[in-house]
Amino acid sequence: MVTKHKLDCFDEFTARFIRSKVSKLIGRAGFTESDRPDLLQDFALDLLQRREKFDPSTANWEAFVV
């Protein structure tokens, strides 16, 4: 059974970007499928902590996320 981890607090672009980055790490640098929930949480937490530095006059949200 595949579990769809929720990233509901983010827009579709951001959730897809986080899932994509995590998928690229699985199988590399010692990360396994069992690390997926932790990696998703780590990426989400990092972005949530950095979002106060987002300045829409400098760049759009997608550029900030990337």
Side-chain angles (χ1 to χ4, degrees):
M1 180 171 118
V2 175
T3 303
K4 181 90 170 184
H5 301 285
K6 298 207 180 249
L7 295 171
D8 292 341
C9 63
F10 297 112
D11 61 283
E12 185 178 338
F13 169 82
T14 304
R16 263 195 338 253
F17 182 80
I18 291 172
R19 285 189 185 101
S20 171
K21 289 297 181 185
V22 168
S23 291
K24 290 177 182 179
L25 284 174
I26 303 298
R28 294 190 170 112
F31 293 114
T32 65
E33 189 60 40
S34 64
D35 294 312
R36 184 178 301 271
D38 292 333
L39 289 169
L40 287 167
Q41 183 175 347
D42 288 345
F43 273 73
L45 178 61
D46 177 68
L47 185 56
L48 288 171
Q49 289 174 333
R50 290 185 305 110
R51 74 179 171 186
E52 66 186 31
K53 296 178 181 170
F54 171 60
D55 181 2
S57 67
T58 305
N60 64 26
W61 176 249
E62 289 83 4
F64 180 76
V65 169
V66 173

